[in-house]
Amino acid sequence: MTLMGAAALLILILTYAGVAIGRIPGLRLDRAGIALLGGAAMIAIGALSMEDAYRAINFDTITLLLGMMIVVAHLKVSGAFRGLGAVAIEHAHAPFMLLVMVTLLTGVLSAFLVNDAICLVMAPIVVHVTRVIKRNPIPYLIATATASNCGSVATITGNPQNMVIGALSGISYPAFSAALAPVALFGLVAVVVIIRIVFRAEFARTVQLTPEVSRGRMHKGQVLKAVVVCIGLAIAFFAGVPVAKAALIGGAILLLTRAIKPERIYREIDGPLLFMFAGLFVVVAGAEKTLLSPDMIASARNLGLDDVWRLSGFTAVLSNIMSNVPAVLALRPFIPGLENPERAWLVVAMSSTLAGNFTLLGSVANLIVAEQARAAGTTLSFGAFFKVGLPLTLITLAAGTAWLAFGF
């Protein structure tokens, strides 16, 4: 190994370790800063030129994520999410029906919009409702987190790692959804069944509930415009319009308003996530250029990753070690050389997402729900989540892998 190769390997390891941990001890660097520092280090050692670094960043992914962030921000600020949540939850007149409503609403919204943002909206609603009707909030909060992960499996726009895979693989939106929507649906059913069993005391007795959700102030005209844009986006996605192009245009249209100050929308955009993506693209490209020869990439066949079950398990473990987006980028150089790259990408999308239900730390969505609950005075413990997460992850991964192994 050359000196540059050794330096690139060290940068890759330190960057991925920092992203996995979330910080560097003694420094005030977050994941975005760590990824950007890693990318800059790759350029500094000469692993990539500036031009190479620019080319390494997949701007389709960045653009898609930005466009969807604007759409979700508008839905949130206009009051659309709050209103939809109120209508759905107020029709749940028993604890089990409340569980079903929370799971379906979170899962369906997460299928088309970014799941992390859905959790930001749903978690406070769940805490408020369960507090008003004097129910245990924990099973419903776990349903929110796990349903957002399961539901987001269904589409390219469901979560950040799917967006990366959509851009890298070239799989169309309809083909992606046709392959993975059944897995998402099975996952939502599994969420309801497993939580019903684990928290059987919460659902043992039939209780008449009258949940009420504060709708707050709604910009009705902006809600209508957002709904129309979302319908247009769904049509465009399934019609084959490039998803990044459609999302950017849809987001830009929603910025044309006299009712909502643009600063309110900008505050909802997760800039650090965009920076982290850019940095990781550069880090991975630098490592690929200096460390991976064509023979080494081809040797992935020797790892048996052509086997759907092995690839699924490997992705799930890797996702829990380093988080799902970094895991997907780490696998990027090896997937095109496999026997069936399209199926392999779908396996990676399914497994990296469902693996997030394994522990409370397994996905950003889980952490968002836990943090929103904590801010409202409710503690979602690691142990309580794990009692649901362990069987849910094993069952959904097995079902999803079997579906892609034998049904695709």
Side-chain angles (χ1 to χ4, degrees):
M1 182 182 295
T2 64
L3 183 61
M4 183 184 293
L9 179 61
L10 180 62
I11 292 169
L12 178 70
I13 292 172
L14 291 178
T15 301
Y16 268 59
V19 169
I21 297 170
R23 63 186 181 88
I24 295 178
L27 298 175
R28 294 190 174 183
L29 271 179
D30 59 2
R31 286 184 169 90
I34 292 167
L36 284 175
L37 180 61
M42 284 292 186
I43 296 170
I45 66 170
L48 293 173
S49 66
M50 287 299 295
E51 291 74 18
D52 290 335
Y54 295 144
R55 285 193 292 268
I57 299 172
N58 190 301
F59 286 101
D60 277 350
T61 302
I62 303 294
T63 303
L64 172 57
L65 192 54
L66 175 61
M68 293 307 297
M69 284 179 179
I70 295 173
V71 172
V72 171
H74 196 92
L75 287 166
K76 180 180 177 182
V77 171
S78 67
F81 282 142
R82 201 165 45 242
L84 180 60
V87 170
I89 290 175
E90 286 174 359
H91 284 81
H93 299 301
F96 181 71
M97 282 307 301
L98 179 60
L99 173 66
V100 172
M101 284 294 188
V102 168
T103 301
L104 285 179
L105 183 60
T106 305
V108 171
L109 288 176
S110 295
F112 294 99
L113 305 170
V114 187
N115 67 332
D116 298 346
I118 301 304
C119 287
L120 276 169
V121 175
M122 285 298 300
I125 293 176
V126 169
V127 171
H128 169 74
V129 168
T130 52
R131 184 171 292 164
V132 168
I133 61 178
K134 297 180 173 56
R135 307 301 301 181
N136 177 12
I138 300 303
Y140 307 100
L141 286 169
I142 294 174
T144 301
T146 55
S148 77
N149 290 324
C150 289
S152 72
V153 169
T155 69
I156 288 173
T157 54
N159 57 56
Q161 63 270 20
N162 283 7
M163 293 183 188
V164 173
I165 290 169
L168 296 178
S169 68
I171 301 173
S172 70
Y173 200 95
F176 191 101
S177 298
L180 292 183
V183 178
L185 180 60
F186 177 85
L188 295 180
V189 173
V191 167
V192 172
V193 172
I194 292 172
I195 291 178
R196 172 66 178 81
I197 294 171
V198 172
F199 293 93
R200 60 180 66 87
E202 168 69 17
F203 309 102
R205 291 182 297 125
T206 302
V207 179
Q208 185 71 17
L209 303 180
T210 54
E212 294 184 5
V213 181
S214 173
R215 285 170 170 77
R217 184 186 176 192
M218 290 184 64
H219 299 276
K220 293 184 179 179
Q222 299 306 311
V223 170
L224 178 61
K225 184 168 74 171
V227 170
V228 171
V229 167
C230 286
I231 293 172
L233 280 177
I235 293 171
F237 290 155
F238 283 102
V241 176
V243 288
K245 177 181 177 180
L248 184 63
I249 294 173
I253 290 172
L254 289 177
L255 290 176
L256 287 170
T257 172
R258 292 183 299 174
I260 298 174
K261 293 181 179 179
E263 292 82 3
R264 295 184 65 189
I265 301 297
Y266 301 153
R267 282 197 296 267
E268 301 293 331
I269 294 174
D270 191 349
L273 182 61
L274 300 177
F275 293 147
M276 187 186 81
F277 270 57
L280 286 177
F281 276 125
V282 175
V283 169
V284 171
E288 185 176 349
K289 184 176 180 180
T290 55
L291 298 173
L292 297 181
S293 66
D295 289 340
M296 290 179 64
I297 295 174
S299 69
R301 290 180 177 272
N302 297 329
L303 299 176
L305 297 184
D306 277 316
D307 180 79
V308 170
W309 293 92
R310 185 170 297 182
L311 178 60
S312 178
F314 185 78
T315 303
V317 171
L318 199 64
S319 297
N320 273 284
I321 293 174
M322 62 174 60
S323 189
N324 39 36
V325 171
V328 167
L329 290 176
L331 288 167
R332 181 186 71 173
F334 304 100
I335 300 300
L338 299 181
E339 183 179 344
N340 188 338
E342 180 172 329
R343 184 174 67 176
W345 277 122
L346 292 170
V347 171
V348 171
M350 178 274 300
S351 184
S352 64
T353 301
L354 295 180
N357 283 330
F358 187 59
T359 70
L360 189 59
L361 306 176
S363 76
V364 174
N366 301 348
L367 295 175
I368 287 172
V369 170
E371 179 57 28
Q372 292 290 306
R374 186 197 64 77
T378 299
T379 300
L380 175 57
S381 69
F382 186 95
F385 188 95
F386 191 64
K387 286 192 294 185
V388 173
L390 174 61
L392 178 63
T393 302
L394 296 177
I395 290 170
T396 53
L397 276 177
T401 306
W403 170 256
L404 292 175
F406 304 116
F408 183 79

